């Protein structure tokens, strides 16, 4: 039985409202059924209620309260001081002396076969791990490419001096992300596209030490196929609304695309589903723009919608929202960033439109057209490809054999 130490910046629990954290939680949960797994993680105040469940899942659970997660003033102070550090901001945020001491103590008392690191911001601990356990395999799970995600967001949202400051930090991130990844034994990415980006940025890891871990996508009740009602012109956007890239996407849609749709189709309603919407977003709601907040059962929103949108301008990595929508038999209008790494095209009912006018036109076309019942075949293809059990089985074999 493998001895595994699972290192995460965010507590990997199954009630998480972030796709990356939920991926980590699923991996941790299934690894714990086959191996002896210890967990060390930063936690926020809201995470504390999840610890007892994880203590039943894992062999041991170690954690450090990271108050940066809960306190905006601490977050701002650490952001400022990160510019004096060799580490980029997101790695500096995750660092604490308490975490470093705790990690060293765990490594000195235990012999692990494998160390799994979740989230880019934790890979700066790799030199410590290699010094304490030189023979352990170190596997980094890169759920997305951090320096690509942040570069896109900075270029879309900041101009002038702020743009230069944040791009300076992002260059530090790119250098450090590649440098520390090159110290790992192996890397998991979500797509070949992400792997190609890393290789083009001087990643030295050999191809045989790379594995694609497809994301976990919730397919609960997806087999209960429902066509939308003909008169319900409902558009759906679904995502963790506290994430800046999701807020950016839907605000862009409302301000640049939505009006072009409602002048051509009557009775259009836009549902924005997802946890922790910000005040900025809540101020945009009205009778036809409905912001739900967290929804425990997303399937009814899919079943009521005619079109799902993913007008993403930033971010990186594979987008589970696009995959989930297709599994629920709903056509998707998105951007190049939204479809990145997903090897689908218009024959699969995914429509890439990058400018507001063509995006609006495609949404209008789908609202007024008869519902495409043959999308059910695409749904079955998606569900088969992203079956988590098969995906985990391949990943577990890779972890054993690499």
């Amino acid at each position: 039985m493998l001895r595994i130490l699972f290192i995460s910046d965010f507590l990997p629990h199954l009630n998480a409202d972030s796709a990356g954290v939920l991926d980590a939680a699923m991996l941790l949960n299934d690894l714990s059924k086959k191996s002896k797994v210890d967990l060390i993680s930063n936690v926020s105040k809201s995470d504390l209620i999840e610890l007892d469940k994880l203590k039943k899942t894992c062999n041991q659970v170690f954690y450090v309260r990271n108050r940066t997660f809960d306190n905006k003033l601490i977050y701002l102070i650490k952001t400022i001081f990160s510019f004096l550090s060799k580490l980029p901001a997101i790695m500096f945020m995750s660092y604490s002396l308490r975490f470093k001491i705790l990690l060293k103590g765990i490594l000195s008392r235990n012999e692990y076969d494998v160390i799994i690191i979740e989230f880019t911001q934790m890979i700066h601990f790799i030199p410590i791990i290699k010094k304490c356990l030189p023979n352990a395999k170190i596997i980094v799970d890169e759920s997305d490419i951090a320096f690509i995600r942040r570069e896109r967001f900075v270029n879309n949202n900041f101009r002038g001096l702020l743009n230069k400051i944040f791009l300076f930090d992002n260059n530090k991130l790119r250098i450090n992300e590649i440098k520390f990844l090159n110290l790992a034994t192996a890397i998991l990415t979500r797509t070949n596209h992400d792997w190609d980006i890393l290789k083009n940025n001087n990643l030295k890891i050999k191809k045989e030490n790379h594995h694609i871990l497809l994301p976990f996508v919730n397919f609960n009740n997806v087999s209960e196929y429902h066509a939308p009602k003909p008169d319900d012109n409902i558009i759906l956007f679904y995502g963790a609304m506290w994430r800046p890239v999701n807020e950016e996407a839907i605000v862009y849609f409302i301000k640049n695309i939505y009006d072009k749709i409602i002048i051509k189709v009557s009775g259009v309603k836009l549902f924005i589903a997802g946890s922790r919407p910000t005040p900025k977003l809540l101020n945009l709601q009205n009778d036809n723009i409905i912001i739900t907040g967290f929804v425990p059962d997303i399937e009814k929103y899919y079943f009521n919608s005619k079109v799902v949108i993913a007008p993403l301008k930033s971010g990186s990595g594979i987008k589970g929202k696009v995959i989930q929508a297709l599994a629920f038999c709903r056509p998707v209008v998105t951007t190049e960033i939204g479809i990145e790494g997903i090897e689908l095209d218009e024959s699969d009912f995914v429509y890439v439109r990058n400018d507001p006018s063509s995006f609006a036109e495609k949404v209008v076309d789908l609202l007024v057209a008869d519902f495409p019942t043959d999308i059910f075949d695409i749904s079955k293809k998606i569900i088969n490809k992203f079956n988590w059990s098969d995906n985990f089985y391949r990943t577990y074999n890779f972890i054993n054999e690499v």
Side-chain angles (χ1 to χ4, degrees):
M1 178 179 286
L2 285 177
R3 285 292 313 274
I4 297 174
L5 179 62
F6 198 96
I7 302 174
S8 182
D9 190 31
F10 306 104
L11 192 70
H13 61 86
L14 296 173
N15 292 319
D17 61 355
S18 161
V21 180
L22 191 54
D23 278 358
M26 291 296 295
L27 183 60
L28 173 66
N29 186 67
D30 286 354
L31 283 172
S32 297
K33 295 174 183 176
K34 291 180 169 289
S35 304
K36 195 172 182 179
V37 182
D38 293 344
L39 168 67
I40 175 172
S41 179
N42 283 316
V43 301
S44 66
K45 183 178 179 180
S46 60
D47 287 332
L48 296 174
I49 60 173
E50 302 292 340
L51 285 169
D52 285 343
K53 297 174 189 173
L54 282 167
K55 288 174 183 176
K56 295 176 182 176
T57 300
C58 302
N59 177 55
Q60 297 182 91
V61 175
F62 307 94
Y63 67 93
V64 171
R65 274 291 308 276
N66 188 334
R67 298 184 188 278
T68 306
F69 295 159
D70 306 311
N71 189 306
K72 290 183 179 180
L73 179 59
I74 295 175
Y75 183 91
L76 178 60
I77 292 170
K78 292 196 79 169
T79 299
I80 294 169
F81 275 94
S82 72
F83 288 96
L84 304 176
S85 166
K86 292 181 180 179
L87 294 176
I90 66 167
M91 293 185 186
F92 190 76
M93 296 286 185
S94 72
Y95 174 84
S96 72
L97 185 59
R98 287 188 300 156
F99 195 100
K100 180 179 177 180
I101 292 170
L102 179 59
L103 176 61
K104 280 186 170 182
I106 294 167
L107 294 171
S108 67
R109 295 190 302 270
N110 297 276
E111 284 294 331
Y112 294 105
D113 305 299
V114 179
I115 313 292
I116 294 177
I117 303 177
E118 289 288 341
F119 305 106
T120 302
Q121 48 265 51
M122 303 303 281
I123 61 178
H124 61 89
F125 288 113
I126 292 179
I128 293 173
I129 297 166
K130 291 177 76 72
K131 186 175 181 179
C132 294
L133 292 178
N135 296 321
K137 293 186 287 188
I138 301 172
I139 300 175
V140 177
D141 183 12
E142 279 273 283
S143 58
D144 65 2
I145 311 303
F147 69 85
I148 294 292
R149 165 170 42 88
R150 292 178 70 83
E151 180 182 39
R152 289 170 174 170
F153 187 79
V154 168
N155 283 331
N156 284 339
N157 291 277
F158 298 98
R159 296 291 179 266
L161 181 60
L162 280 178
N163 178 271
K164 288 181 171 61
I165 290 171
F166 289 131
L167 287 180
F168 169 79
D169 179 72
N170 197 71
N171 188 53
K172 276 204 298 183
L173 175 58
R174 180 184 61 80
I175 292 168
N176 280 275
E177 189 165 0
I178 298 299
K179 178 180 76 173
F180 290 121
L181 287 176
N182 277 328
L183 298 178
T185 308
I187 295 176
L188 310 177
T189 67
R190 297 296 178 270
T191 67
N192 277 317
H193 180 77
D194 285 353
W195 173 249
D196 290 341
I197 290 173
L198 292 173
K199 294 298 287 185
N200 289 337
N201 280 274
N202 209 29
L203 184 74
K204 303 299 184 184
I205 301 292
K206 295 178 180 179
K207 185 175 182 180
E208 57 265 31
N209 287 7
H210 166 245
H211 174 76
I212 293 178
L213 170 62
L214 293 172
F216 170 74
V217 183
N218 187 348
F219 295 141
N220 285 349
N221 300 321
V222 75
S223 60
E224 299 176 10
Y225 172 70
H226 295 269
K229 295 176 182 177
D231 297 328
D232 284 350
N233 290 321
I234 293 176
I235 302 168
L236 174 66
F237 179 89
Y238 177 48
M241 296 316 305
W242 57 270
R243 295 199 67 213
V245 294
N246 286 329
E247 180 185 80
E248 176 194 35
I250 199 60
V251 169
Y252 162 78
F253 178 84
I254 293 170
K255 291 186 174 182
N256 297 280
I257 300 172
Y258 184 64
D259 285 349
K260 300 179 191 301
I261 296 169
I262 61 176
I263 62 174
K264 293 186 177 181
V265 183
S266 62
V268 174
K269 290 186 180 293
L270 170 63
F271 278 78
I272 303 166
S275 61
R276 294 187 270 167
T278 65
K280 177 182 178 180
L281 186 55
L282 291 171
N283 286 336
L284 296 175
Q285 65 184 331
N286 57 41
D287 290 343
N288 294 315
I289 298 176
I290 299 95
I291 300 172
T292 68
F294 173 76
V295 290
D297 302 307
I298 189 60
E299 56 265 23
K300 70 179 181 181
Y301 291 92
Y302 280 122
F303 293 151
N304 289 333
S305 67
K306 272 189 181 176
V307 184
V308 173
I309 56 168
L312 294 158
K313 306 290 287 180
S314 303
S316 68
I318 198 167
K319 310 302 183 296
K321 57 173 64 67
V322 173
I323 298 162
Q324 190 179 50
L326 293 169
F328 276 96
C329 300
R330 292 302 180 263
V332 178
V333 185
T334 187
T335 60
E336 287 182 358
I337 291 175
I339 196 65
E340 196 170 54
I342 306 174
E343 297 170 352
L344 299 171
D345 56 31
E346 294 200 0
S347 67
D348 302 300
F349 300 95
V350 182
Y351 304 93
V352 177
R353 302 291 187 272
N354 291 310
D355 66 277
S357 294
S358 64
F359 198 108
E361 287 171 8
K362 192 63 216 180
V363 173
V364 168
D365 289 346
L366 293 168
L367 288 173
V368 300
D370 292 335
F371 190 75
T373 54
D374 48 341
I375 198 173
F376 190 65
D377 294 330
I378 306 303
S379 171
K380 288 188 287 186
K381 182 174 83 170
I382 290 290
I383 292 168
N384 287 335
K385 180 176 180 178
F386 290 90
N387 178 286
W388 175 259
S389 295
D390 294 343
N391 186 16
F392 172 75
Y393 177 78
R394 292 190 295 269
T395 302
Y396 186 72
N397 285 342
F398 173 79
I399 290 170
N400 272 281
E401 296 167 6
V402 68

